[in-house]
Amino acid sequence: MTDRYDVVVVGGGAAGLAAAVTLGRSLRSVLVVDAGEPRNAHAAAAHNVLGREGVDPRELLAAGRREAEGYGAVVVQDRAVDARREDDGLVVTLAGGDVVRARRLVLATGLTDVLPDVPGVRERWGADVLHCPYCHGWEVRGRRIGVLATSDNAAHQTLLLRQLSDDVTLFLHTGPEPADEEREQLEALGVRLVRGTVARLEHDDALRAVVLEDGSRYDVDAVAVAPRFVANADLYVRLGGEISDHAFGTYIASSPGGRTDVPGVWVAGNATDLAAMVGGSAAAGVLAGAGINGELVHEDAEAAVARARRALAPAST
Ligand SMILES: Cc1cc2nc3c(=O)[nH]c(=O)nc-3n(C[C@H](O)[C@H](O)[C@H](O)COP(=O)(O)OP(=O)(O)OC[C@H]3O[C@@H](n4cnc5c(N)ncnc54)[C@H](O)[C@@H]3O)c2cc1C
């Protein structure tokens, strides 16, 4: 590890490592700083990852780290705690005390899932408490699925899960009453609607039941929740960036390739695209890496022209 890189990538999940591979393959010097807490760490398997279907998420990232390092990227386990701009680029401070400089910064910091505050949700998160029917819906197909409503998206989420099981119960909890059209659809599909606040999810080594405050108990095998998705954007704010609001949380706005409004700062993966899965996050990392290299080759070419002109200029007397 040195103190100066073409690019510092903060976050070594799918997005950050893919950016590092792309940049390394373009012979850019890259540092990846990773705190080692990928969002899907609680899940035993990652699905819809073409060619690696059902892979252990940590095994996938270990392979990605090896691939990035194979192209010369330096990957360190640490947390970036500050970022600021100086004349010669961006300066990133790590919790371990290192200070590194870069021409470009990629924020691949992911997001934080803010879970509903119901006992049992956190304990079973990533196992039989899930949020994404595409990630883990198939695993609970045909089982007894509850949906914990906390927003007006719950009816849509319920329909997605009803596609996978004919035993689905929508617990209205803190969510709004479904609109008439939604209620008609849910009832026509045999979805049970349960009104009342959920007190807890009963579980031992597996989820057992949803228990309401009035004491009523409903046996379930899985529960779907809708976390609030909050982009990990502290460094972006420190650099003067503004966080954007989304119906499902917050995100760092960017161009389709990942360029942000803050010069030199790029973003990829869940920090900018709350719905991106592993494949989409990796693809965004590749795009950001390519976009940055594209910028740097032009910057390098302009610098080369300036040097050539200086060399040709008559020496001043
Ligand atoms: C329970 C669960 C199951 C999922 N299952 C699937 C699935 O089956 N298939 C699928 O495609 N998707 C799945 N996903 C979504 C998947 O986790 C995300 O798409 C993916 O992790 C996004 O990649 P990322 O690189 O943007 O962020 P992350 O993977 O979250 O990586 C971000 C990294 O940045 C690090 N970081 C953050 N801030 C800093 C900092 N300041 N300094 C240093 N490091 C920092 C974090 O520690 C983390 O390692 C699941 C999500 C959840 C919550």
Side-chain angles (χ1 to χ4, degrees):
M1 182 171 166
T2 67
D3 64 355
R4 197 171 287 270
Y5 292 86
D6 287 326
V7 184
V8 168
V9 179
V10 182
L17 291 172
V21 168
T22 304
L23 288 158
R25 285 176 53 78
S26 299
L27 303 181
R28 295 293 173 190
S29 60
V30 186
L31 174 70
V32 180
V33 183
D34 184 38
E37 293 161 4
R39 194 180 157 214
N40 55 350
H42 295 281
H47 298 284
N48 279 320
V49 182
L50 195 63
R52 301 297 308 274
E53 176 54 30
V55 64
D56 178 327
R58 294 205 177 258
E59 188 191 317
L60 184 71
L61 294 184
R65 273 196 296 277
R66 285 194 297 276
E67 289 165 6
E69 287 168 343
Y71 291 113
V74 177
V75 184
V76 294
Q77 172 130 14
D78 206 334
R79 179 172 290 279
V81 290
D82 188 32
R84 62 182 195 280
R85 182 177 306 285
E86 279 186 0
D87 289 345
D88 60 346
L90 296 148
V91 182
V92 180
T93 304
L94 311 191
D98 290 306
V99 177
V100 286
R101 286 173 167 71
R103 298 169 69 186
R104 297 291 185 277
L105 179 63
V106 179
L107 297 176
T109 44
L111 63 77
T112 300
D113 293 285
V114 180
L115 297 171
D117 189 16
V118 172
V121 166
R122 184 163 300 283
E123 291 86 340
R124 299 303 304 163
W125 173 237
D128 32 28
V129 171
L130 53 114
H131 74 296
C132 165
Y134 305 105
C135 300
H136 301 291
W138 194 88
E139 282 61 41
V140 297
R141 69 196 184 287
R143 311 293 300 277
R144 296 166 298 182
I145 304 174
V147 178
L148 186 69
T150 48
S151 77
D152 57 11
N153 193 48
H156 172 65
Q157 193 180 23
T158 304
L159 290 181
L160 293 177
L161 290 155
R162 177 62 186 81
Q163 164 66 15
L164 296 164
S165 171
D166 55 11
D167 190 338
V168 178
T169 306
L170 173 56
F171 295 93
L172 285 179
H173 188 52
T174 61
E177 190 69 29
D180 288 347
E181 189 188 348
E182 288 172 334
R183 193 175 52 249
E184 203 177 354
Q185 290 175 352
L186 294 168
E187 284 172 358
L189 288 165
V191 172
R192 280 178 299 278
L193 259 65
V194 174
R195 293 174 181 78
T197 308
V198 172
R200 66 179 193 282
L201 304 187
E202 204 174 278
H203 64 93
D204 38 40
D205 58 348
L207 193 57
R208 300 296 175 197
V210 174
V211 181
L212 265 56
E213 278 183 347
D214 65 9
S216 51
R217 188 180 176 282
Y218 298 82
D219 291 341
V220 292
D221 301 306
V223 162
V225 298
R228 193 170 143 72
F229 302 137
V230 177
N232 297 325
D234 291 4
L235 298 177
Y236 190 59
V237 171
R238 283 175 178 273
L239 285 158
E242 280 185 26
I243 297 173
S244 301
D245 287 323
H246 184 282
F248 297 158
T250 60
Y251 69 105
I252 298 174
S254 70
S255 71
R259 189 189 281 106
T260 73
D261 289 342
V262 176
V265 179
W266 293 63
V267 62
N270 275 163
T272 183
D273 181 354
L274 304 181
M277 297 169 64
V278 168
S281 301
V286 172
L287 278 182
I292 289 172
N293 185 56
E295 272 191 3
L296 293 182
V297 294
H298 285 283
E299 209 172 278
D300 293 343
E302 283 162 23
V305 168
R307 280 197 304 276
R309 285 182 182 160
R310 273 199 305 277
L312 288 175
S316 57
T317 50

